[in-house]
Amino acid sequence: MPRALYYFQYYPLWETYLAELGFEVITSPPTNQEILELGLTACVDGACLPLKAFVGHVRFLVNRGLELLFVPQAISVVPGEYTCTNLLGLPDLVQQYIPSSVRLLSPALDARKGAGKISFSYLRCGLEFASALRVLKAWQTAQAAQRQVDTAPKANGSTGRGLNILILGPRYLTDDAYLNGDLMGKLAALGVQVTTAAAFPDSITLPASRSLAKRPFWTSMRRSLGALEHCLHRVDGVISLAPFACVAEAMQGVMVAERTAKTECAHLELHVDEHSSPVGLVTRLEAFCDLLERKRRG
């Protein structure tokens, strides 16, 4: 079987499904400076940092002789909501940076007409490479692998300072230590208990977000705002993490700031790009944690 790209390393559904179909799945390494540079030299300046990193991962693997790239067109993963616009057009964008000899495998994932449409897209895609029975078993195994990750604890376990902080933002930032400047590791070193919006399933964030004046169009924003409503009176502070120049995440930061201003919960907004300095990040985190401790002491 041809080899396939697998980049979203927090989402084992895709990797497991492809492996069960018989693909040799080649995973790109965690984002690093080499990979980011490959994306920076190819993308236009206006592209957001996660998009540049993705293109860097694509070019990294193409340079190593891949025959097939798995780049799904993620339109919607929850009925009534959308992913970001970059994900909607990701296959078309990636096509510009690969030679004609490399094929894209790009099933359209669109839950606007029901969550079952996503399963149908995966099954239809798999039938091109395996029998119906094998495809069905592969899909069931992949779903089980994803459930195991989704139900695993997401907190970092550090409680040295007794502070609890909620991290909000898209998973392609919160789960990528290089792009976020190792935010989780730095907070853990400060003895902070960290939880991300990904720790809460849609069964929690969707009802919690119903208190908003209007349900957000974007799934990532709705999950973040729902996690905020669920945790608002249980954490000491909230950090909003966003890629520079992302309109949706910038709007989310404003909404989080307005909501936390009505409570005792402190809010720190962080924007990241390829020029971010880890020194400045450490300084801001230390100051934020010091502020939270002073608030606790009254």
Side-chain angles (χ1 to χ4, degrees):
M1 294 290 285
R3 295 184 293 171
L5 162 67
Y6 167 64
Y7 167 57
F8 293 102
Q9 293 157 348
Y10 63 80
Y11 202 53
L13 179 80
W14 297 346
E15 181 180 18
T16 304
Y17 184 58
L18 292 172
E20 290 294 319
L21 288 177
F23 285 92
E24 177 190 359
V25 181
I26 306 298
T27 62
S28 56
T31 308
N32 53 43
Q33 188 59 37
E34 177 190 0
I35 287 176
L36 185 57
E37 286 294 337
L38 287 172
L40 294 178
T41 56
C43 281
V44 296
D45 291 338
C48 67
L49 181 63
L51 187 59
K52 292 174 181 177
F54 189 90
V55 171
H57 280 268
V58 167
R59 297 186 69 199
F60 178 88
L61 289 173
V62 167
N63 291 343
R64 279 150 181 78
L66 262 73
E67 304 164 0
L68 177 66
L69 297 182
F70 181 69
V71 185
Q73 184 186 18
I75 300 170
S76 171
V77 294
V78 177
E81 299 175 356
Y82 289 86
T83 63
C84 84
T85 53
N86 286 332
L87 290 181
L88 267 67
L90 197 56
D92 292 329
L93 183 140
V94 167
Q95 191 73 59
Q96 310 306 311
Y97 302 104
I98 61 175
S100 58
S101 58
V102 177
R103 177 189 170 193
L104 289 186
L105 182 60
S106 304
L109 309 181
D110 190 355
R112 289 176 298 172
K113 296 182 179 180
K117 290 293 184 180
I118 293 182
S119 297
F120 178 76
S121 294
Y122 273 111
L123 295 172
R124 183 174 59 183
C125 177
L127 288 173
E128 181 181 350
F129 305 98
S131 66
L133 180 59
R134 183 169 186 177
V135 167
L136 182 59
K137 289 183 177 179
W139 180 238
Q140 292 171 341
T141 301
Q143 288 180 305
Q146 185 65 42
R147 282 194 297 269
Q148 185 175 5
V149 170
D150 290 342
T151 57
K154 303 296 192 305
N156 71 354
S158 297
T159 56
R161 298 175 72 156
L163 296 175
N164 295 282
I165 292 180
L166 175 66
I167 309 294
L168 303 179
R171 292 195 67 178
Y172 45 75
L173 274 187
T174 60
D175 287 25
D176 194 314
Y178 188 82
L179 295 187
N180 65 39
D182 193 23
L183 176 62
M184 311 305 172
K186 288 178 171 60
L187 287 171
L190 292 172
V192 175
Q193 175 81 23
V194 177
T195 306
T196 68
F200 306 100
D202 286 338
S203 59
I204 290 178
T205 59
L206 189 55
S209 65
R210 288 174 182 157
S211 61
L212 301 173
K214 185 176 182 180
R215 178 177 171 180
F217 294 111
W218 301 283
T219 297
S220 177
M221 178 187 291
R222 190 266 303 158
R223 285 173 173 167
S224 288
L225 295 177
L228 174 66
E229 292 298 323
H230 180 72
C231 297
L232 192 56
H233 301 291
R234 310 179 192 185
V235 296
D236 299 288
V238 176
I239 295 178
S240 295
L241 187 63
F244 179 72
C246 177
V247 176
E249 296 301 327
M251 179 164 49
Q252 175 181 299
V254 172
M255 297 176 70
V256 173
E258 291 179 347
R259 185 69 181 94
T260 54
K262 301 175 183 179
T263 69
E264 295 297 318
C265 186
H267 174 230
L268 173 65
E269 190 169 1
L270 297 176
H271 292 266
V272 297
D273 62 21
E274 58 265 29
H275 305 296
S276 297
S277 167
V279 177
L281 177 61
V282 170
T283 301
R284 295 188 69 183
L285 293 179
E286 289 176 343
F288 186 60
C289 291
D290 288 343
L291 170 65
L292 296 181
E293 288 183 329
R294 290 196 187 101
K295 288 187 67 175
R296 270 198 169 189
R297 293 196 298 266

